[in-house]
Each structure stands twice: as C-alpha cells, then as structure tokens.
Amino acid sequence: MTMGPSLEAMQDGGSCGLRGDEHLSDISSHINEGLPSFARRSEDKAWWQEFPWWGSVIALVMLVMAAKIFFDPDYDLAWSRIYPGVWLTLQTTFISFGIAFILGLLAGIGQISQNVVAHNLSRAYVELIRGIPILPLIFTVALVLVPKAINFLHIDNSSVSTKWRVVVALSLIYGAYMAEIFRGGIQSVAPGQREAGRSLGLSHRQTMSTVVIPQAMRAIIPPLGNDFIAILKDTSLFSVLGVLELTRRARQYSASSFKFPETYFTLTFIYLCLVIGLSILLGQFEKYMTKDRKGER
Amino acid sequence: MSTMVEVRNLHKTFLKIIKAVVDVSIKVEKGEVVVIIGPSGSGKSTILRCMNLLDVPSSGDVFIDGVNLVDKATDLDLIRADVGMVFQQFNLFPHLTVMENITLAQRKVRGKSNEEAVEMGMRQLTRVGIPEKANSYPRQLSGGQQQRVAIARSLAMEPKVMLFDEPTSALDPEMIKEVLDVMLELAAGGMTMVCVTHEMGFARSAADRVVFVDEGSVVEEGTPDEIFNHAVHARTKDFFDKILHH
Ligand SMILES: Nc1ncnc2c1ncn2[C@@H]1O[C@H](COP(=O)(O)OP(=O)(O)OP(=O)(O)O)[C@@H](O)[C@H]1O
Ligand SMILES: [Mg+2]
C-alpha cells in the first residue's frame, strides 16, 4: 500500500480540501484513494463552455441568408413571389390551433370522463386520427369528408374554399394530438385536489374549471406550444391541395423559373423566421404563465 | 341528542376483491367527538371517505343530519358543503392564495359575495392563528400552517360536522401541536368531529368515544378510558402493545 503525503502537509496546505476537524479514519480513507492529483472538484464553467454557440450559428446563417435575399436580384425575385403566402400560412395556423385547442380540451376531458358515451367517442376519435399518417388524413378530410358533409348539409360546394378544408383537416388532426396533452395534464394533477374541491361542495364542473384545469395548464403549455409550431410547419403539406401558401408558391415559382436554389433557400429562410419568431413568443408566454402572479417570502 | 352522522351496515369493496370495509355501523351524535383508530390498511380512511361519499359505498347507508347520501335524489354537493374534510396531505390549491383557497367554495357553493367570503375567511384564519398569511401561497407556508389553512377553509363553509383523516401524520413533530391545539379548541367549542388519528393524547383529552377498527370491521368502541385502559379484545390490546413499544 502506498502512502500519500503526510497528514500535517495535507492539513496545512489544504491541497486535498480536507478540514482540520476531520477524523483520522476519514483522512486515511482519502489517502488510500490516491489524492490529491486526481481530485474531483466542482468548478465554475469557462465562458466558452456556457456560451450558446448553437444560437450564434443559427443567427449567422440567418444573417447570411437575409443578406443574400436582400442583395441578390434572383433571390429577391423569389422572395417577392413566395412571401405573399405568409399571410395565408399564419392565418391557417392560428385558426386551426384555436379550433384544435377546443376540440382537444373536449376530447381530453371526454377520455377521462365517467360518461360512457363521451369516453368512447373521444377515445375513438383520438385513436383513429393518431393511427393514420398525416398526408392520407389530409386527403381524406379535405377531399372526402368535407365534400360529403357539404352534400349532407346541402351547401354549395364552391362556397367552402380550400383554405377552410385545410383548417378543418388541421383542426381535426391536432385536436386529437392535443386531446392526449390535455388528458395527460389533467391526470398530472394530484387526485387529492379533486377530492378537496368536491368535499367543499364544488360540483364536478366547478372543480374541473377552478381547481384541476388551471393546475393542468402549467403542465400543458410547453407541449401545446410544440404543437403550435408543428401546425405552422404542417401547413406546408397543404401545398398538395393547391392552397397558395408559402410552399405552394415556391413550387409554382421554381417549376416555371427553374431557379431551385434561389426558391428553396428563400422558402427555408421564411419558415425559419416564422418558427423562431413563434418560439420566442411562446417562450415569453410560458414564462408569464408559470411565474407567480404575486408572492411574498 | 340527535344523530349527526350515521353509517349503517356499510360495506366497501375495491376492484371486486379488496374488502376494505365490512359491515360497519357507527353513530355520531351532535357535538360528539369520535376518534377512529386501527392498524394501517384497516379501512379507517375508507370509512371516513364514505361519510361524505368521496368513496361510494358498495352497500349500506350513510346519513348526515338525517339525509341519506346513498339516495340518488340527494344533492351531494349541498350536503358536502356542510361536511368539512381535512386530509393528511392538506390538499390546498397551490395555484391560489390562502385567502382564495378559503373564499372559492364560499363564493361558488354558498353564493357569497367576495367581501362576505373574505370577511369570513379572515375570521377563520384568525381562529387558526395565521391571519397574516392571507395573501401567501400554500408553498410559502410550513406544513403546520398549511394544515391550519385547510381547517380554516373547511370551517369557512360553516360545516355541521368535520372529518379529519390523519391530519398530523404528514407533519414534522414540532408542528403537530399547533394543529392539535386548533382541533382541541374546535372540540371544546362543540363541533361534531370524526377523527382518524394516531395521536392518542388527543384522543384521550378530546374524544367522547374511541372506535377501534381492524380488517374493515369495528372491533370495539367505548370511552377513551375503556379502550385505552380496559380493552376487552385481544386485537385491541395487541394494537396498543405495538404502538406503545415503538
Ligand atoms: N382506491 C382504492 N383502490 C383499491 N384499494 C383500495 C383503495 N383505497 C383503499 N384500498 C384498500 O382498502 C384497504 C383499506 O384502506 P384504507 O386506506 O381505508 O386504510 P387505513 O386504515 O386508512 O390505512 P392507513 O392507516 O394506512 O391510512 C387497504 O387494503 C387498501 O389497500
Ligand atoms: Mg388512511
């Protein structure tokens, strides 16, 4: 057995981080570990270890892209052809998110409801939608279900624009995904909360709306934000239906001009801007929702 | 004297096979303090939770002030508002301030205005000794303070009876007394109380009657002196031997 430095030297120099009041047995066990040259210490990280390099890389790429679009006439032309689709993309995203939110809340509560009809209906809806890939679903909803519904309701077929078919499809799809989020959020609230509410005489509905759902919201906001961004990205799928959103415009322009790099470079840039912008907004909202409204300590 | 709480031939079976409560009948008179004791898993909580139908009995009847809760025609929410319940884990609403915790049901169930509810809230908070915490959030309070808020929240509904399910079991030792003191004061003030507790000191000084439960059934009941000092059944004596030697 090799002995480390003498006890006195260690205590004086403090090179092992030992305090003078440690027992002899503790110290000898440290010695046996062969300290001090391999001592494990907590250290403050250097600035370059903590610096958000990834963010700088993205910012740099974005800057280069922006410069390219601004100064290169070919890129500028592509930009001017694609950019007008932003409005439609955002509109579809926001409306679909709103409807999906309500559908998801209803189906989420329905899934854990004691009511046999509500329970099975919600369950069937969620499982059906989640079991089908998104593109076939889009075709089925927009080209089969919506026309059938239109027929059934005796509405003029042309009065329901493709935009609204897209909204219906996106809302139905994301309603099912959000139902799972709501269900998980509600189930994450301790059962004792519901019991406390009910034992005070609050009805089931009052307990849900004043006790359970406000608490579930905290767990729900981050994944809902993810779905918000996912909807924004998935609106691009609807270019297959001929809706003149961003991706459709890009496809049209590239097909007629053969300027593929200019077109898709610009399209990517626009989506990146939208997604990053939305992420920042959602991050702020999350911060606002999860911080204490007031608080003393 | 008239009866405030009565469970009659109560049975509760979980998941078709777990017999948590087997043919229990307990009567609690107005103003009486009844303490339920028994080993872990003996069905104490289930009996208590059946008293306000948080657990729905498999069979048997539950009466609060003469109204049968098992009857489908009974408005449960109305009865529950009259039955205070205090839980082991406090179950305060963490997203609401102490005062909001106390006023919520007063406003939603009793239809009180916010001013009335706050006034009642302050009165109850003063009663449990922490009026200065009205605007704090539950997580900013100690366990003992949280449990006192939970008691104040129940009292603000002006209940006819209070049910306590091991209200001090989740507390650090130094906080148990402050909660028991509030309960003792309630008992002295004539509140009808049913308490599941392991605090034998509390049972001795506050209980009119002690009910010993084992394996889902009432083994014996009597005054604190009868149960603690002159238990008849071997199972009761065993229980005391165990808890006294630990
Ligand atoms: N929701 C439930 N589902 C299934 N079994 C349950 C449920 N609630 C209680 N039980 C079972 O019923 C029996 C009685 O439980 P109960 O909680 O009433 O006992 P207890 O006397 O309060 O015990 P403790 O002192 O540990 O709180 C136990 O065997 C328990 O496992
Ligand atoms: Mg219990």
Side-chain angles (χ1 to χ4, degrees):
Chain A
M1 190 177 84
T2 49
M3 284 299 284
S6 77
L7 270 178
E8 289 78 10
M10 286 169 63
Q11 283 175 1
D12 292 344
S15 57
C16 269
L18 291 177
R19 297 188 312 275
D21 58 358
E22 281 201 47
H23 290 298
L24 200 75
S25 57
D26 294 334
I27 292 170
S28 59
S29 74
H30 280 291
I31 293 170
N32 290 342
E33 282 167 17
L35 296 175
S37 46
F38 302 113
R40 214 180 274 281
R41 299 267 169 69
S42 74
E43 270 171 34
D44 287 338
K45 282 186 179 161
W47 69 270
W48 55 270
Q49 283 174 304
E50 305 221 297
F51 189 79
W53 294 104
W54 60 273
S56 322
V57 170
I58 292 176
L60 195 70
V61 169
M62 302 272 296
L63 218 69
V64 171
M65 281 176 149
K68 191 83 184 158
I69 291 167
F70 194 77
F71 292 115
D72 187 326
D74 278 343
Y75 282 82
D76 194 37
L77 185 62
W79 165 270
S80 67
R81 291 299 175 86
I82 302 169
Y83 179 74
V86 161
W87 173 234
L88 197 56
T89 292
L90 284 180
Q91 210 183 3
T92 325
T93 304
F94 276 80
I95 299 172
S96 304
F97 180 81
I99 301 174
F101 184 94
I102 295 163
L103 269 180
L105 182 59
L106 292 178
I109 294 176
Q111 279 195 85
I112 38 184
S113 156
Q114 303 287 328
N115 183 312
V116 178
V117 178
H119 171 80
N120 284 287
L121 262 179
S122 335
R123 191 97 218 145
Y125 162 58
V126 170
E127 295 301 333
L128 255 179
I129 299 273
R130 295 198 327 149
I132 307 169
I134 192 160
L135 206 48
L137 249 179
I138 288 170
F139 285 130
T140 313
V141 172
L143 303 178
V144 181
L145 292 185
V146 172
K148 285 247 190 270
I150 287 170
N151 253 336
F152 185 74
L153 298 169
H154 301 290
I155 306 172
D156 179 15
N157 194 13
S158 60
S159 72
V160 181
S161 69
T162 324
K163 180 182 99 187
W164 284 102
R165 288 165 208 243
V166 166
V167 167
V168 170
L170 269 181
S171 305
L172 278 177
I173 293 165
Y174 276 92
Y177 292 146
M178 288 187 197
E180 286 297 280
I181 296 176
F182 278 110
R183 182 178 64 83
I186 290 168
Q187 286 178 333
S188 76
V189 177
Q193 291 291 307
R194 198 191 60 80
E195 290 172 359
R198 294 312 300 274
S199 65
L200 283 166
L202 296 170
S203 67
H204 172 69
R205 188 170 297 200
Q206 286 171 329
T207 305
M208 284 305 272
S209 66
T210 60
V211 175
V212 178
I213 290 181
Q215 291 183 60
M217 273 300 162
R218 291 185 167 208
I220 282 171
I221 287 169
L224 276 192
N226 287 342
D227 270 7
F228 206 144
I229 288 169
I231 291 179
L232 172 66
K233 292 193 281 191
D234 280 353
T235 54
S236 62
L237 290 170
F238 290 89
S239 60
V240 296
L241 291 177
V243 187
L244 278 176
E245 43 66 72
L246 292 167
T247 307
R248 179 70 182 186
R249 283 174 179 271
R251 284 175 59 193
Q252 277 186 349
Y253 177 66
S254 63
S256 62
S257 67
F258 295 103
K259 294 197 186 308
F260 290 98
E262 293 83 351
T263 308
Y264 288 108
F265 199 69
T266 306
L267 180 67
T268 311
F269 175 72
I270 295 174
Y271 274 119
L272 257 179
C273 289
L274 290 179
V275 168
I276 291 173
L278 195 56
S279 306
I280 292 172
L281 274 180
L282 289 168
Q284 293 299 320
F285 179 68
E286 192 188 326
K287 236 188 227 161
Y288 169 78
M289 287 299 288
T290 48
K291 80 162 194 254
D292 293 345
R293 283 176 301 166
K294 39 197 159 167
E296 53 172 49
R297 200 170 248 280
Chain B
M1 259 217 268
S2 56
T3 306
M4 179 57 80
V5 184
E6 181 178 2
V7 297
R8 202 182 284 167
N9 305 115
L10 180 71
H11 290 255
K12 176 66 183 180
T13 309
F14 288 108
L15 309 170
K16 296 205 168 76
I17 47 163
I18 304 168
K19 288 188 164 36
V21 178
V22 183
D23 199 28
V24 164
S25 298
I26 297 175
K27 251 186 182 185
V28 182
E29 305 299 330
K30 279 189 179 142
E32 208 181 6
V33 176
V34 170
V35 166
I36 301 178
I37 58 171
S40 178
S42 57
K44 307 180 296 292
S45 297
T46 308
I47 294 172
L48 203 69
R49 291 160 57 85
C50 281
M51 287 181 177
N52 67 355
L53 244 65
L54 271 188
D55 280 341
V56 181
S58 303
S59 72
D61 294 295
V62 178
F63 299 89
I64 297 287
D65 207 8
V67 181
N68 193 347
L69 304 202
V70 174
D71 188 341
K72 279 226 165 79
T74 303
D75 183 347
L76 272 185
D77 294 333
L78 225 59
I79 304 286
R80 283 185 179 136
D82 286 340
V83 180
M85 184 143 196
V86 176
F87 302 86
Q88 184 174 347
Q89 300 298 338
F90 329 137
N91 294 352
L92 293 179
F93 307 133
H95 60 302
L96 302 179
T97 63
V98 164
M99 187 50 83
E100 288 165 343
N101 262 275
I102 300 176
T103 56
L104 179 68
Q106 291 187 69
R107 289 183 286 112
K108 302 272 174 189
V109 181
R110 297 280 193 232
K112 285 192 195 173
S113 73
N114 196 47
E115 292 79 62
E116 289 173 304
V118 168
E119 195 198 314
M120 168 63 86
M122 274 325 280
R123 206 155 60 233
Q124 299 307 338
L125 275 181
T126 309
R127 190 169 172 186
V128 300
I130 38 176
E132 73 278 7
K133 296 294 182 187
N135 294 317
S136 303
Y137 281 89
R139 69 176 162 283
Q140 298 168 328
L141 307 184
S142 72
Q145 291 171 333
Q146 288 190 48
Q147 192 60 297
R148 285 188 280 159
V149 171
I151 295 173
R153 179 173 72 177
S154 287
L155 290 177
M157 299 299 284
E158 302 174 274
K160 295 174 178 172
V161 50
M162 290 281 289
L163 310 177
F164 293 85
D165 190 359
E166 302 198 30
T168 56
S169 295
L171 296 177
D172 292 335
E174 72 269 21
M175 292 170 186
I176 291 178
K177 187 173 174 297
E178 65 190 51
V179 171
L180 289 181
D181 283 347
V182 169
M183 290 172 65
L184 281 169
E185 221 172 277
L186 263 183
M191 174 65 77
T192 312
M193 293 164 64
V194 183
C195 313
V196 173
T197 183
H198 295 301
E199 294 298 329
M200 298 305 155
F202 171 81
R204 271 180 209 281
S205 51
D208 296 303
R209 206 142 45 88
V210 175
V211 178
F212 176 71
V213 175
D214 192 16
E215 292 176 4
S217 305
V218 174
V219 175
E220 68 180 298
E221 57 177 294
T223 63
D225 179 56
E226 284 167 349
I227 298 295
F228 293 135
N229 303 329
H230 311 287
V232 178
H233 288 262
R235 281 197 279 175
T236 318
K237 287 180 198 156
D238 275 0
F239 174 72
F240 286 125
D241 280 348
K242 275 186 196 130
I243 60 167
L244 290 181
H245 294 140
H246 276 107

